[in-house]
Every structure is written in structure tokens, then in C-alpha cells.
Amino acid sequence: MAATRYNSGDLRRQVGSPRAKNRDTKETLCRNVVIYGHCRWEDSGCTFNHDQNKASGSQADLNSNRRVFNVESPSFTPANQQQPAGKKSTFSSQAASAAPFTPRGVGTSTPTLQQPGDSTIFNPAAIREFTPQNYDVGNTNGAQNVTQDGGLYSDPFSISSLGQTMPPTGQYNPYANDPNNLAGAGAGLYQPAGFGNGLVHPPNYHLYQPPSELYRPSLQPYQRTTYDFFIPKDRRENLQKKLFHMQQLLPNSGLPNLDRWHSLFPLDTKATRNSTCFGYPSWMYKAQNNKNGRHFALRRIEGYRLTNEKAILNVTKEWKKVINANIVTVHEAFTTEFFGDSSLIFVYDFHPLSETLYDHHFPPNNGHNRLRNTNKIPENVLWSYVCQIANALLAIHNAKLAARCLELSKIIWENNRIRLAACSILDVLHHDSPNRKTIEELQQEDFVKFGRIILALATNTPTLNFSNIDTALATMAPRYSTQLKGVLEWLIKPSAPGETKTVETLLGGMTTHLANFANFVMQESDEKEFHLMRELENGRIARLMFKLSVVNERGDSCGVHNWSETGERLLLKLFRDYVFHQVDADGKARLDTNHYLSCLSKLDASSEEQILLTSRDNATVFVVSYRSIRQMLDRAYGELGKESKPNTTGATI
């Protein structure tokens, strides 16, 4: 059959136009019926045949040869993926085992069947549905796979939920410029309140910044800068950090409230159990006492069951008498089951921002256990440690006790001050031990442990890694003096037969270093007293501010309408404007801390210097002295004191 050739005009007239006519239109099947199944112009003048049964054979063959879309059309196959002949394109058999779609929360999904096959073929059924992590505190210990007794409490350092919510390494630095900076070495787990719900910045303590010494302005001998009126910024920030740390909380921590203690906060730097020192896992917490509101440090001995109550009573009674600057004072000990097990709690004084001597001199490297301290510790620092530990042992041995727990991880460090932080614990734990040693034997062991601590610091080696003491002593010889090496040999090596080591003998052999250390302590004390005297003036100014705030802007009082606006109280308001509300030539606020402090200091001293007070509308002008203003302030404050009831007045200012 010859091919029929069509142009665009003929095709348009044949398919879409009802006016296309030729001699065999009655025999020709309408193209609209073939393509669309009907013709929209069938009842409006289309002359083609609309009955498919009457179509001629030639026309049917022509229509069958033309490419149209119908249900018999083959599926699309890409050119680069040739299918074998005789094989139809179907879905993969792996897709048949896919789980039916079920919206979340509507119902449970049908369990999927595992189909054997090639692992390289994508199988939707093998993909597990994502489920959010459950952060609820349960009774099962995720880290140790241990179930707590009774389900009352899950230890915060063992559950996986707290480990995931806490930063992986280091602690949050509340004084860094980057609010997302969670890394850093130090005391660990000191997080601000509301950490679980988003980081909460601490109060902004940096209200003033001292000028650099390189760009310090040239001042006259009688002139001072703002920074000269306050304590140094380093000491100020350290004190403010301590106050802020004492008020830190850890919400939703799961820690219980004991009988007389609440707001427990973990203080451990590592979230792992360690029982090498006491034989039982131990944890440290900060807590607040319900009776006096003071903060204390609680050391919990986990899993210890007390068999003799006299052990606590006798030990704590003797250790409470030991008061020393290099010993953390022991207050009491008690047992509790609020943690879900039988725990023994020791109560100590709380020293904020302290870290162990081990963490200070052997910090971990990026969270790993490998030590990175390779710097030599100055010899004067080691001598200061020797003097302080010797001072602590002197007080302990004179009380007929033994320190026993002398380890780098149980001595806290704070600004070159060290304190023994785990006294009396082993006395309670080993109270009924059949192999208990005498006090004299335990005191001799204190000297050996003392020497091993200093030797570990001198050689940058933890005490547990010592295999040969003589080799370690020979290693430190080139770097330190012979006198320090001799002291360590006397401490570590056994004494001669018939001789007993005493603290007095040790102190007698290092009198020079004791004098140097005492001189350093007294110089530091003088510096602190100097800054305290300067802050004393600020306390006097604070009292004046209290009085001015009480008198100014007060309404009806003492039976007088607008009491603060009448009489000599008006001059106090004008003085307030003179001190705090001055403006420059452009009308902008004048912020001059020197002016504030200078005026208030003269007011406190009742100076005879006269100043000019002007009302805001410049209609009233007064010339008065600071002495007169001080007398007016005292009289106004006295009137308020007479009017108030005796049972409502607070402390006098």
C-alpha cells in the first residue's frame, strides 16, 4: 500500500474541522472518534463516519498503522537499559515486601518479612522507621546495663540520656564570647540553669573595663580613673564566678532531695565510675542545707551498707575538731536510700571553682586519657605544696588521726591553695576491718604517700605508674635542687630501725622554704586588705544611695502632700540631678563614673565645698555645701524612721 502523505493543512481539516469534505467522507471514519472516542461536531455538521463498525478495511489498516496512544502502547524504556527480548517491564520483586504506609500515630505498622536476595538491591522494607530518642529517666542504667533497686533513682552519670544532653568534652564556659563554646578543660559539668531548655547566659559582670597600661591617659597626681576605685578585674571576676557557681542548678537532673539537703548539683569531672581509692564508686555533689541555707559538698559512697553506727559517730566526732586551712572540714556523715541503693554520705565544706590536683597538672588531651602535661612545674610551686601538705599532716597527726587518703585525685587546688578533700572516709569504711592497722602505722604510710605525690608532680608521671622509685628520683635530679630530692627520699624510703618519722622532723629540715612561703602568704594578705579598704569606701557610698533612693520621688508622707517636693527635700532632688542627670553642651547625657563617686564621697565626708544646684526649668538656683546636704538627708531619713512602725523597720543604715 502506498503511503499517504499529509500536510499540516490537510491534517487540520481532516481532524478538527467539520467543513472538510471529499467524495468518500461517508465511508471515512472520523479521526476524532479514533483519537478521543467521540466527536464534538457529530451533531453539528460533521460529515465523516462516526460508527467504527462501518469503517472500511483500508481505513482501518491506515488507522492501525498510525501511532496513537492507547492501552496497548509499550512502556518507555531508556536507551542505555536494553531489556531482553520477550521480557516485559515489571516492578522489582523486592518492592512487593515493602511495608504499607501508615501515618504516625494512627496505628501500628504491619511487620515486614525479610526476603532473601542480593544485599546490593535497595529494599524499602529493610529500612527501619525513625523513632525519636526517649529522654525520659527510667530505671535501667543505659551505660552499665544495671537496673537500680526499686526504680527510685537513676544515677546521672550512668544513664545514657544525661550523657547525650551534656557536651562531650569539657564544660560550658559562661565567660567566653562565643555562647556555643562548650569545650574547655576544668571543673566539668558546671552548666547554667536551664541548660536543657537552651543556654542561659550568666549575668553580665563586666560592667567596666580597665584601660590598657600602654594607652593609660596622662593624669595629674590627684586624678584617678574609674578602675582605680575598684578591685582588680581578675580578682573581681574570680569572686563573682564563685558566687555564680554557688547558685547554679541542673534542672531535670533526676537527683533526689535528701532529708536536709536540696538542689543537688554534680561536681565530678568524669561521668565514669571509679572505685580504686575507696573500694566503692563515689560521686561528688553540691547541695544546699535546709536549715542555714549554706552550700556544702556531699561525697556519696555508692552501694555501701553500714553495719556499725558507732563508726560514723566516733569518726565524725574526732574529725570535726580538726580545723586547718589545708583541710576540707568534715561536718557529718549519714546513710540514705534516696538514691535507690544504700549510700553513705559525707558532708564537707564547699569550695567553688576548685579542681583536683590531678586535673590541674595532668589535664586530658581533647577528652582522651592520654596526658599532655610536659611542662616542668616550678620548684617554688612544689615547695609550696610540700609546706601546705605538711601543715595539714601536722594538724591531723596531732589529733591522733591519719590522713590515709593522700592521692592527687583527692586533693583540691584553687589559686595555689591546696586542701585534703577526702579525710575520714577510709576510717569509716575500714572501721570494722579485721586487718585494721594502728594509728602509728597509718601515719607512717601518710609520709610515703606524701612523697609519691610530690614525686609524681616533679616527674610529670601519675603515682600509679611508678615501677622504680630510685629511677624516678634520679630523673628529677637534673631539674630540681638536691634539697628537694633529699626530702622526697626521706618521705618515701623506709626509716631506719628504731626511728619514727614525724612532721616536726620534716618541718625542721625545710625552715628556709617555710619562711619563704609564710612571706608569700603575708604579702598576699596585705594585697587583699588593700583592696578591701578600697571597697570599704564603696560600701559607704552604697548606704548614701539607699537613703537618697528612699527620700527622693516619695509621695505623701508624714502627713504632707508631695512630701519629697517640699521643704529641704527639694534640694535633695536637685542634688540627685546634679550628680546623675548632668548633660553636655549638646544636651546628651553625661556618663562620668568619676563624677558620681567624687560627689558621693564628698557627701559622705560632709565636705565644706559648695556647689550650685539648679532646677530643671532654671527658675531656682541654690548654693549649698555638701555638709548642709548631708544634714538635710539625715533629717529626712530620720523623719521617715519615726513615722514607720518599730516592727517594720529593718536594720539601720
Side-chain angles (χ1 to χ4, degrees):
M1 179 183 295
T4 305
R5 182 178 291 180
Y6 294 93
N7 55 32
S8 59
D10 296 337
L11 183 61
R12 180 181 58 81
R13 288 192 299 268
Q14 183 180 358
V15 176
S17 176
R19 297 182 179 87
K21 297 181 180 180
N22 52 36
R23 57 186 179 182
D24 55 351
T25 55
K26 294 299 182 179
E27 300 297 334
T28 304
L29 183 63
C30 182
R31 295 285 295 179
N32 294 335
V33 176
V34 177
I35 299 176
Y36 305 109
H38 68 281
C39 179
R40 59 189 301 182
W41 294 286
E42 179 179 358
D43 299 331
S44 60
C46 182
T47 60
F48 289 94
N49 180 23
H50 297 88
D51 189 0
Q52 299 183 11
N53 297 327
K54 296 181 180 181
S56 61
S58 61
Q59 184 68 25
D61 295 339
L62 176 63
N63 294 337
S64 63
N65 292 332
R66 294 170 182 171
R67 295 183 179 275
V68 294
F69 293 101
N70 51 49
V71 294
E72 299 297 335
S73 300
S75 60
F76 171 76
T77 302
N80 57 352
Q81 295 183 1
Q82 298 295 335
Q83 295 183 359
K87 185 177 180 180
K88 296 183 180 181
S89 176
T90 59
F91 290 97
S92 174
S93 60
Q94 300 293 336
S97 61
F101 172 75
T102 302
R104 185 183 298 275
V106 176
T108 59
S109 60
T110 304
T112 59
L113 300 177
Q114 298 294 334
Q115 298 291 342
D118 189 2
S119 59
T120 60
I121 300 177
F122 173 73
N123 185 7
I127 305 301
R128 297 183 58 184
E129 184 180 4
F130 171 75
T131 303
Q133 177 71 32
N134 183 14
Y135 289 96
D136 294 336
V137 178
N139 297 330
T140 302
N141 189 324
Q144 303 292 337
N145 196 18
V146 178
T147 303
Q148 301 291 346
D149 297 337
L152 298 178
Y153 169 73
S154 296
D155 200 290
F157 301 105
S158 300
I159 60 177
S160 59
S161 59
L162 183 60
Q164 294 175 358
T165 56
M166 286 300 171
T169 58
Q171 73 174 66
Y172 168 67
N173 184 5
Y175 298 93
N177 294 328
D178 184 9
N180 297 322
N181 181 17
L182 299 179
L189 295 185
Y190 295 148
Q191 306 297 339
F195 179 81
N197 300 326
L199 295 178
V200 179
H201 293 281
N204 184 12
Y205 294 128
H206 308 276
L207 302 181
Y208 59 91
Q209 182 66 24
S212 174
E213 296 295 335
L214 298 178
Y215 302 98
R216 189 178 181 91
S218 299
L219 301 177
Q220 299 297 329
Y222 59 87
Q223 292 179 328
R224 296 290 183 271
T225 62
T226 303
Y227 175 68
D228 294 332
F229 291 95
F230 302 96
I231 62 177
K233 66 179 183 65
D234 295 336
R235 191 179 297 274
R236 171 179 57 87
E237 290 180 8
N238 184 50
L239 295 176
Q240 290 169 337
K241 288 178 183 179
K242 288 184 178 180
L243 296 176
F244 179 70
H245 177 214
M246 294 180 67
Q247 302 299 329
Q248 280 183 326
L249 300 175
L250 186 63
N252 303 324
S253 64
L255 296 173
N257 290 330
L258 307 182
D259 293 334
R260 292 180 289 109
W261 312 92
H262 65 89
S263 303
L264 270 68
F265 185 89
L267 298 178
D268 293 274
T269 58
K270 298 180 181 179
T272 57
R273 302 183 178 211
N274 186 3
S275 58
T276 58
C277 183
F278 306 115
Y280 297 88
S282 63
W283 309 101
M284 284 295 297
Y285 306 98
K286 179 200 70 174
Q288 190 172 7
N289 189 276
N290 293 336
K291 294 184 177 180
N292 52 25
R294 291 180 54 191
H295 292 84
F296 293 87
L298 306 183
R299 184 178 290 276
R300 169 196 169 202
I301 307 300
E302 179 184 350
Y304 177 79
R305 188 172 298 277
L306 184 67
T307 58
N308 187 357
E309 295 184 359
K310 294 182 179 179
I312 292 181
L313 298 178
N314 296 338
V315 170
T316 55
K317 180 180 179 181
E318 298 297 329
W319 277 101
K320 288 174 64 176
K321 301 178 182 178
V322 180
I323 307 297
N324 188 272
N326 298 115
I327 302 175
V328 181
T329 305
V330 185
H331 291 277
E332 61 175 308
F334 60 91
T335 58
T336 182
E337 295 183 355
F338 282 95
F339 291 92
D341 60 358
S342 179
S343 298
L344 178 62
I345 308 295
F346 289 85
V347 182
Y348 295 90
D349 281 339
F350 176 58
H351 299 277
L353 296 184
S354 298
E355 59 180 343
T356 65
L357 205 59
Y358 185 91
D359 293 336
H360 179 68
H361 289 289
F362 300 99
N365 185 11
N366 296 329
H368 301 287
N369 294 327
R370 292 178 299 176
L371 306 178
R372 60 177 176 88
N373 184 17
T374 59
N375 298 327
K376 172 188 173 182
I377 302 177
E379 185 171 350
N380 60 339
V381 175
L382 294 180
W383 277 116
S384 68
Y385 293 165
V386 172
C387 295
Q388 295 181 69
I389 297 178
N391 180 42
L393 292 181
L394 179 63
I396 294 174
H397 290 183
N398 289 340
K400 306 300 180 182
L401 299 171
R404 305 187 67 176
C405 190
L406 283 176
E407 294 187 6
L408 291 174
S409 60
K410 298 300 179 288
I411 300 176
I412 60 175
W413 178 94
E414 179 196 357
N415 195 19
N416 292 327
R417 167 76 72 84
I418 61 175
R419 298 180 177 90
L420 308 185
C423 295
S424 76
I425 295 181
L426 292 179
D427 291 344
V428 176
L429 298 182
H430 299 166
H431 184 269
D432 297 330
S433 177
N435 299 325
R436 184 181 179 182
K437 299 179 180 180
T438 62
I439 293 296
E440 290 75 13
E441 294 175 344
L442 295 176
Q443 290 179 352
Q444 296 303 307
E445 290 183 357
D446 286 346
F447 292 105
V448 178
K449 296 178 181 179
F450 180 13
R452 292 172 66 92
I453 288 176
I454 305 302
L455 184 59
L457 298 176
T459 58
N460 289 328
T461 306
T463 55
L464 298 180
N465 295 343
F466 282 143
S467 58
N468 192 334
I469 299 297
D470 294 332
T471 304
L473 291 172
T475 303
M476 63 168 291
R479 298 188 294 176
Y480 297 99
S481 63
T482 306
Q483 185 178 7
L484 180 60
K485 179 183 176 182
V487 170
L488 297 184
E489 289 180 349
W490 182 85
L491 290 172
I492 297 176
K493 293 184 178 181
S495 57
E499 295 183 2
T500 303
K501 299 178 183 178
T502 60
V503 183
E504 290 78 3
T505 305
L506 174 63
L507 296 177
M510 55 179 191
T511 54
T512 303
H513 299 284
L514 286 174
N516 294 336
F517 181 73
N519 181 44
F520 169 76
V521 172
M522 288 185 289
Q523 288 180 354
E524 187 178 11
S525 177
D526 293 340
E527 181 185 1
K528 292 180 179 179
E529 185 177 0
F530 169 75
H531 297 308
L532 180 61
M533 293 174 61
R534 201 160 54 176
E535 287 298 312
L536 178 64
E537 301 298 327
N538 296 334
R540 298 169 63 183
I541 291 175
R543 294 185 179 91
L544 288 177
M545 290 297 302
F546 294 158
K547 291 184 178 181
L548 286 173
S549 301
V550 170
V551 174
N552 290 332
E553 305 297 341
R554 181 173 290 274
D556 298 347
S557 181
C558 301
V560 179
H561 180 65
N562 291 334
W563 178 77
S564 62
E565 302 285 345
T566 58
E568 59 187 15
R569 276 85 61 183
L570 178 61
L571 273 73
L572 297 178
K573 292 190 62 176
L574 298 182
F575 176 75
R576 187 268 317 271
D577 293 343
Y578 172 79
V579 177
F580 300 105
H581 297 168
Q582 288 193 358
V583 296
D584 56 12
D586 298 331
K588 299 180 180 180
R590 180 189 176 191
L591 304 179
D592 188 356
T593 309
N594 291 332
H595 175 71
Y596 309 151
L597 296 175
S598 176
C599 294
L600 294 176
S601 298
K602 294 176 181 178
L603 177 64
D604 181 67
S606 299
S607 175
E608 295 290 347
E609 179 182 347
Q610 294 183 342
I611 56 176
L612 181 66
L613 303 180
T614 307
S615 61
R616 297 187 178 183
D617 57 0
N618 295 326
T620 306
V621 178
F622 297 95
V623 178
V624 293
S625 63
Y626 284 101
R627 178 184 292 274
S628 300
I629 297 176
R630 177 62 185 270
Q631 294 174 354
M632 298 176 188
L633 179 61
D634 292 340
R635 285 194 294 266
Y637 190 81
E639 292 180 11
L640 295 176
K642 293 179 181 179
E643 183 187 17
S644 61
K645 297 180 181 179
N647 57 352
T648 59
T649 56
T652 58
I653 300 179

